[in-house]
Amino acid sequence: MTTAPQSPAPVGREELLTRLERALHTRGRALLTGPAGVGKTEVALAEAARAEARGETVLWLATLPSDREIPGAAAAALVASVAATVTWPGLGTSRPEPPAPAPTVPPTEPYGAEPAAAGAPAAGPPGPGALTSGILGSGVLNSGIFSSGVFDQLPGPQRTAVAMLCREAPIDAGGWDPIALRLGIARILRALTCRGPVLLVVDGVQHVDADSADLLRFALHLAPPSLRVVAVETPEPYAEAHAPYRESHRYEDPHAAHLWVPSEADVLRVPPLHADEIAELLIHHRLPSRMAGRIHRASGGNPRLALAVGRSLADARTPVHHAEALTLSGRARDLARQLLGAAPPAVRETLLLAALALRPSATLVRRAGRPTAEADLAAAERADLVSLSEDGFVTFTAGLLPSTLVHDACWAERSAGHAALAEVVDDPVEAVRHRALATERPDEELAAEVAAAADLARRRGNSALAAELALLAAESTPGRHGTRRIARLVDAAEEAARAARADLAMRAATDLLARDAVPSDRVRARLAVLDTAGQGLTGLDEMYVHAMEDSEGDTALRAAVQLRLAVKYVLADGDPERSRTAAVESAALASSMGDPRLAAQALTVQARMERALGSPDAEAVLAQARGLELAERPLGIRNAAQILTIRHALFDDRLNDARDELNALLPLVQRRGSVEDTIELFSTLAAIESRRGACAAALSHAGQSLALTLEAGLSPGPAWYTLALAETAGGSFARAASYARRSVQASEEEGDRVFLSRSRYALGRVQLITGDITAALETLRRVQADERAQSTVDPSMLRWHEELAEALLAQDAGDEALALLAEVRPVAERLGRSTVLLGCDRAYALCLAAEGRTDEAAELLTRTAESFGRAGLPLERGRALIALARVERRRRRRSAAQSALHEAASVFERAGAAPWLALASETPAGEAAGPGPGGEESVSALSSLTEAELRLARLVGQGASNQEAAAKLYLSVKTVEARLTRIYQKLDVRSRAQLATALRP
């Protein structure tokens, strides 16, 4: 018995699909509910595809709002489509199936549009069930129902009633017989289940007309368990907004609108996606992912909104920088307007007041002039526009909703709202803010009050509000006070930089640079923008140029500009030598001005570059920077000498020292550090724990780093790289590869050369470990090219050499692998990188084994594994033991190989390294349940094959031609022929048939 391949779940919906299948298995019914655009139809489509793969008949009924005004529309479509798409066994005669019309399919693009209208032409290729199942629409009827045989088993009255419903017979003056019609629909569905299991999906159950709902309820009540039903519902919270038809068809039974009485067990709410899932969704649709955090905030995790915002960014004429406001196209705004437009005017007025407030609550909005605030907000909550806490505070479910409310309101509405809020808020800081926003006339007295409020917010620790108020103070300053306005704009830009508010920093800088500001003020504003740019430094070249020009003659500012250039040269340009030069100049200028804090920052950058370039002076420079920091405590840990000292300990595998020093920083950073400081801390902790084999802690820290990154709206590339390392250690190789690919894409979008190399290394390493040698070789060669282009010398900072050497060896490029190891070993010895040498030893031992020197290889791997253990690197020890097992198999020492694997498994189990444990537990090639044809001799022969030869042998043994194998392995046909000749000789076979036999367990 074979199992049909399971269709992949939509992004972020695997767990929900599992719950859906459980509900269908235990209860036979499931109701998917949630707001428009959240992806309910996608989940139903995925379940339909899985059901069809199991051989079930799948029926899909899609409805439109107008359908509920047509009595019997949904039931008629159900009958007509069953007749058109299912071959019906007659009573003693076989009937040919009538030609089916082109199926109407649900939208083929995930979350891209509303469900397809019934009877509309297909928007893409047929979806689930298009070949063997019915895709039903309530707006079109298929002709020739009598010829289908559907009615053959129906008694006369039922047959007549169903024919009237489908307009295949004239409707009598008294209408159809309701009892006969009920029984007829029930009999059709019951007969359909005689053919096998049936899955009925009703998409848009809230639009099913009352008559059809009654018919379907009755039919489902009598249906056998083999008929399972998925209903998809978008709740309608504003009943009073519906047409009079709705009012005249109210049901006293609160469950009458459903097809069955739902219980808690079969109602599944489709939740919004998490930020990381939104990033995956964007990548799936080939949209830029670097803004995933900001897109998640704007969309609230609603997939349809997120894709609309993502397409707005992709369609922008120029790439949107982190420091700029999101570019929202008409499509994104229109989707938000559709969600808001369903609300009655009174609810929208209440929501506008909530959108204008800093800390909106039902009480505040009611005091500001909305006496029905609680009822309005409750209705909005039912519509998934807002969420209400127990104490009445309001949170919009998507950032696009309040911004659209404010965007679409006229000035008079916004002014009146702010004025009303200013009278009722209980915080003087908020009151001043609303007063300033309620007037469009600049006023110096008011501007001074706002500036004082900004200072108060800063002292409270609310840096984001302080930045907003500082900019508002500048914008409230009259034009005749030009000097004062410019000073306030500089303060606003610098406050925004401290708060990591790139958008406010850019607004303040843009305003200032359009005015007659002195060069020093222009430089300070530009530096604020650069400090909030994160990875995205590539598109800011002009800003650096102007900053250099304006800092001419000002030593302190020139030192600050040179420091930012040092960072840009390494991140965006990939030029560590130029970065070191700029850092040296910055440090000298800062020292000459008596600025120890700036000098320490510059020396830290210099030390980082000295390390990368393999300079013996790196530690001395870093010690100098640490000395300055002790005298003048830095404002944060990001790019500080203290954190670089910890990272150097990480590079040197002094992991306990690194962890202890970092843990001492944790309370201080969490209490007083910036978001970037906290992200840096968790990221470094994750890297340390990944390396030392504390896998659960690594995954936890990496997850926290990513969550903070996305919440802050920063580029997720570095956080994804860190999570790829943690997943490689203790999570899943598949997830590790996924995160590494995401990091590659984000780093390419940002132009970040440093993390581009790192993420490619993480990806290539996973590809190598999982046996995708061809892809690993391609990826790691790109890392080699990147690192050499950047003149990186120190092999401890990114350990790609040993991985590339192993990949080369697996592709029979042993000479190139040996040359690479010979190149890196003297550098590692000169710099004292002892654990880098151990990695080289592991790769060299595999080279020895490939040359047939298996005794030497086994001895070297045994020593290497012991050395890794003494160095406190359990995962590296386990990996060396796996390599030892491979060599022992080639030495025909199966017992020793098993012993090495068992020891490796024990190491991985203690570390919680789940993917490595699975790797160590796999049955080695050639060692199946027992000796096959040829017994031990066959096993030993297979063990003599190299990894590259074994892969080719398996391909050919499975029937691949030489040309097909060459294409799949990215080899020439001549190379395949030569390698195949060696395989034949080693296995003593003479044909492909004999080869296939030799490969069988």
Side-chain angles (χ1 to χ4, degrees):
M1 179 177 178
T2 60
T3 302
Q6 184 163 280
S7 301
V11 172
R13 302 305 189 197
E14 186 64 54
E15 190 270 340
L16 180 63
L17 263 177
T18 300
R19 289 171 52 208
L20 174 60
E21 294 193 330
R22 188 184 308 124
L24 290 173
H25 177 72
T26 57
R27 302 181 60 85
R29 307 285 185 266
L31 175 65
L32 293 172
T33 183
V38 80
K40 304 180 295 295
T41 298
E42 286 302 310
V43 175
L45 271 172
E47 176 56 27
R50 293 184 176 186
E52 187 179 52
R54 295 190 294 264
E56 300 179 20
T57 299
V58 178
L59 303 174
W60 190 288
L61 175 62
T63 66
L64 289 174
S66 59
D67 292 341
R68 67 175 163 223
E69 300 184 22
I70 306 174
L78 176 63
V79 174
S81 296
V82 168
T85 58
V86 178
T87 303
W88 205 269
L91 297 175
T93 60
S94 176
R95 297 178 180 271
E97 181 179 359
T104 299
V105 300
T108 58
E109 182 177 2
Y111 316 112
E114 299 291 341
L131 298 179
T132 63
S133 311
I135 303 296
L136 313 185
S138 57
V140 64
L141 297 178
N142 302 306
S143 62
I145 287 180
F146 284 108
S147 65
S148 68
V150 171
F151 299 134
D152 287 357
Q153 296 175 327
L154 294 181
Q158 296 176 22
R159 179 187 177 99
T160 301
V162 172
M164 287 182 182
L165 173 72
C166 297
R167 304 310 192 263
E168 291 287 336
I171 302 178
D172 295 338
W176 53 65
D177 182 342
I179 296 179
L181 183 57
R182 278 183 163 208
L183 294 173
I185 298 293
R187 189 172 185 127
I188 290 173
L189 291 180
R190 178 176 287 274
L192 184 60
T193 59
C194 294
R195 302 161 50 90
V198 177
L199 176 67
L200 170 62
V201 181
V202 184
D203 190 7
V205 68
Q206 74 277 9
H207 299 317
V208 173
D209 62 279
D211 292 345
S212 293
D214 180 65
L215 290 168
L216 290 173
R217 264 194 304 274
F218 180 82
L220 295 180
H221 178 68
L222 297 182
S226 55
L227 174 64
R228 300 177 303 138
V229 184
V230 175
V232 179
E233 173 194 59
T234 301
E236 298 180 294
Y238 312 113
E240 68 275 10
H242 293 314
Y245 173 85
R246 180 78 169 182
E247 299 295 327
S248 63
H249 287 74
R250 293 217 181 260
Y251 298 96
E252 294 182 5
D253 181 357
H255 300 297
H258 294 107
L259 303 183
W260 69 91
V261 178
S263 70
E264 187 175 343
D266 51 35
V267 176
L268 303 177
R269 180 172 177 80
V270 181
L273 296 178
H274 298 301
D276 193 39
E277 293 166 340
I278 288 294
E280 186 178 352
L281 180 70
L282 294 170
I283 292 173
H284 180 75
H285 286 265
R286 302 182 182 278
L287 294 172
S289 62
R290 63 191 178 91
M291 296 284 195
R294 295 180 67 185
I295 292 174
H296 179 261
R297 286 209 307 270
S299 66
N302 183 295
R304 189 181 297 162
L305 276 178
L307 290 176
V309 176
R311 290 191 180 99
S312 295
L313 299 181
D315 294 342
R317 293 183 179 179
T318 57
V320 178
H321 192 269
H322 281 290
E324 299 173 343
L326 291 180
T327 302
L328 299 176
S329 68
R331 174 63 176 160
R333 287 284 186 206
D334 286 346
L335 284 175
R337 291 183 184 113
Q338 287 176 19
L339 296 175
L340 294 166
V347 174
R348 289 199 298 272
E349 291 176 19
T350 298
L351 289 175
L352 175 59
L353 272 180
L356 295 174
L358 272 179
R359 294 178 300 134
S361 68
T363 301
L364 177 66
V365 173
R366 174 167 36 81
R367 289 174 178 173
R370 299 299 306 166
T372 60
E374 282 81 1
D376 292 342
L377 292 171
E381 185 178 39
R382 290 193 298 272
D384 282 288
L385 299 178
V386 300
S387 62
L388 297 173
S389 65
E390 290 186 2
D391 51 5
F393 281 94
V394 181
T395 303
F396 282 88
T397 55
L400 190 56
L401 299 176
S403 72
T404 299
L405 283 165
V406 175
H407 177 274
D408 290 353
C410 68
W411 160 250
E413 291 173 319
R414 296 197 305 271
S415 177
H418 282 300
L421 289 167
E423 295 295 325
V424 296
V425 293
D426 56 4
D427 183 1
V429 171
E430 294 182 30
V432 170
R433 172 182 176 271
H434 286 301
R435 285 171 47 212
L437 291 171
T439 179
E440 59 180 345
R441 174 180 294 181
D443 181 277
E444 174 55 30
E445 184 177 346
L446 179 59
E449 288 186 61
V450 178
D455 291 335
L456 180 56
R458 184 185 305 114
R459 291 195 298 272
R460 290 176 176 177
N462 192 340
S463 56
L465 179 57
E468 180 189 346
L469 291 172
L471 181 57
L472 185 57
E475 292 173 342
S476 300
T477 305
R480 63 180 180 274
H481 299 293
T483 303
R484 192 170 299 168
R485 182 182 179 104
I486 287 174
R488 286 172 176 161
L489 285 170
V490 173
D491 290 341
E494 293 180 336
E495 191 64 50
R498 285 189 288 271
R501 285 294 304 271
D503 54 337
L504 297 182
M506 180 65 86
R507 273 179 55 191
T510 302
D511 190 347
L512 183 144
L513 294 173
R515 300 178 182 278
D516 188 20
V518 298
S520 60
D521 288 337
R522 294 200 296 268
V523 172
R524 291 169 62 190
R526 289 188 172 107
L527 292 180
V529 173
L530 296 175
D531 288 344
T532 60
Q535 281 185 288
L537 301 176
T538 303
L540 300 175
D541 288 351
E542 187 175 340
M543 194 160 288
Y544 286 101
V545 171
H546 288 304
M548 283 292 289
E549 291 177 355
D550 287 338
S551 65
E552 185 71 36
D554 189 323
T555 304
L557 286 177
R558 177 54 66 94
V561 175
Q562 286 287 357
L563 176 60
R564 273 69 172 190
L565 279 171
V567 175
K568 173 190 179 294
Y569 289 148
V570 65
L571 279 182
D573 300 345
D575 191 340
E577 292 195 10
R578 196 176 181 190
S579 175
R580 177 175 61 181
T581 301
V584 169
E585 183 175 348
S586 176
L589 292 172
S591 298
S592 70
M593 294 298 297
D595 187 343
R597 180 174 290 134
L598 183 60
Q601 291 176 328
L603 288 170
T604 299
V605 176
Q606 180 188 345
R608 181 181 288 111
M609 296 306 101
E610 300 283 8
R611 172 99 188 198
L613 294 169
S615 169
D617 299 331
E619 296 305 319
V621 174
L622 182 56
Q624 186 181 354
R626 285 297 305 271
L628 291 175
E629 280 188 359
L630 292 175
E632 188 76 20
R633 197 175 77 178
L635 297 176
I637 69 165
R638 188 166 175 258
N639 296 326
Q642 186 175 11
I643 200 70
L644 183 61
T645 302
I646 293 170
R647 294 199 70 83
H648 280 196
L650 168 62
F651 297 150
D652 294 336
D653 285 324
R654 292 181 285 109
L655 302 177
N656 290 334
D657 294 343
R659 184 189 56 173
D660 293 344
E661 190 164 352
L662 205 56
N663 281 333
L665 278 176
L666 184 59
L668 175 65
V669 169
Q670 289 182 319
R671 188 168 60 251
R672 294 189 298 181
S674 66
V675 174
E676 289 95 331
D677 286 346
T678 309
I679 291 170
E680 177 79 13
L681 183 143
F682 281 126
S683 176
T684 306
L685 265 176
I688 292 170
E689 302 292 22
S690 297
R691 186 72 176 155
R692 63 187 294 270
C695 299
L699 286 167
S700 174
H701 295 319
Q704 289 174 287
S705 174
L706 178 61
L708 289 171
T709 297
L710 294 173
E711 183 181 341
L714 302 174
S715 176
W720 279 333
Y721 163 72
T722 301
L723 200 48
L725 296 182
E727 287 286 351
T728 302
S732 154
F733 289 142
R735 286 197 300 270
S738 174
Y739 283 122
R741 289 189 179 93
R742 295 189 207 178
S743 183
V744 168
Q745 178 173 326
S747 298
E748 286 176 335
E749 291 171 4
E750 297 285 16
D752 185 336
R753 302 283 293 279
V754 170
F755 274 95
L756 181 58
S757 284
R758 292 181 184 179
S759 53
R760 282 176 175 161
Y761 158 76
L763 176 60
R765 184 166 179 255
V766 173
Q767 290 169 332
L768 175 64
I769 293 167
T770 55
D772 191 357
I773 304 300
T774 303
L777 188 58
E778 180 182 355
T779 303
L780 292 169
R781 281 193 186 279
R782 298 183 74 177
V783 176
Q784 179 185 41
D786 290 342
E787 292 294 289
R788 287 181 173 173
Q790 296 176 51
S791 304
T792 303
V793 174
D794 193 327
S796 68
M797 298 180 70
L798 199 64
R799 301 178 183 231
W800 56 269
H801 307 80
E802 60 202 65
E803 311 294 351
L804 178 56
E806 188 171 338
L808 288 167
L809 184 63
Q811 284 288 73
D812 280 352
D815 291 343
E816 191 176 350
L818 288 169
L820 178 61
L821 293 173
E823 175 188 324
V824 71
R825 184 178 291 278
V827 178
E829 290 173 346
R830 175 175 64 83
L831 297 175
R833 310 300 186 231
S834 58
T835 54
V836 172
L837 293 171
L838 291 178
C840 292
D841 285 344
R842 189 196 75 243
Y844 181 64
L846 295 176
C847 292
L848 292 175
E851 294 174 354
R853 299 158 62 184
T854 54
D855 292 346
E856 296 175 59
E859 182 181 353
L860 179 56
L861 284 170
T862 300
R863 293 199 310 268
T864 301
E866 292 172 352
S867 298
F868 273 131
R870 288 192 297 270
L873 301 172
L875 302 191
E876 292 297 335
R877 179 189 171 203
R879 189 176 178 187
L881 288 170
I882 290 177
L884 175 60
R886 289 163 53 189
V887 173
E888 293 290 15
R889 289 197 299 271
R890 298 192 66 175
R891 297 173 75 195
R892 304 180 184 180
R893 298 182 60 198
R894 295 185 61 189
S895 177
Q898 287 298 320
S899 176
L901 281 178
H902 289 158
E903 186 178 354
S906 178
V907 169
F908 295 140
E909 187 172 13
R910 287 195 299 270
W916 292 94
L917 180 60
L919 200 65
S921 302
E922 290 177 358
T923 303
E927 288 186 24
E936 291 287 340
E937 183 179 345
S938 175
V939 171
S940 300
L942 283 177
S943 300
S944 69
L945 298 181
T946 67
E947 295 291 333
E949 290 169 348
L950 188 56
R951 281 196 306 280
L952 176 59
R954 285 173 177 160
L955 279 176
V956 173
Q958 292 166 1
S961 67
N962 288 0
Q963 290 79 6
E964 290 168 339
K968 189 153 189 177
L969 296 175
Y970 297 93
L971 301 172
S972 68
V973 175
K974 287 186 176 180
T975 301
V976 167
E977 292 171 349
R979 192 173 293 178
L980 201 54
T981 299
R982 293 198 301 271
I983 293 170
Y984 280 16
Q985 291 171 348
K986 289 183 178 182
L987 299 184
D988 193 23
V989 298
R990 300 180 181 179
S991 69
R992 292 174 182 262
Q994 290 180 348
L995 174 61
T997 301
L999 291 172
R1000 290 192 194 117

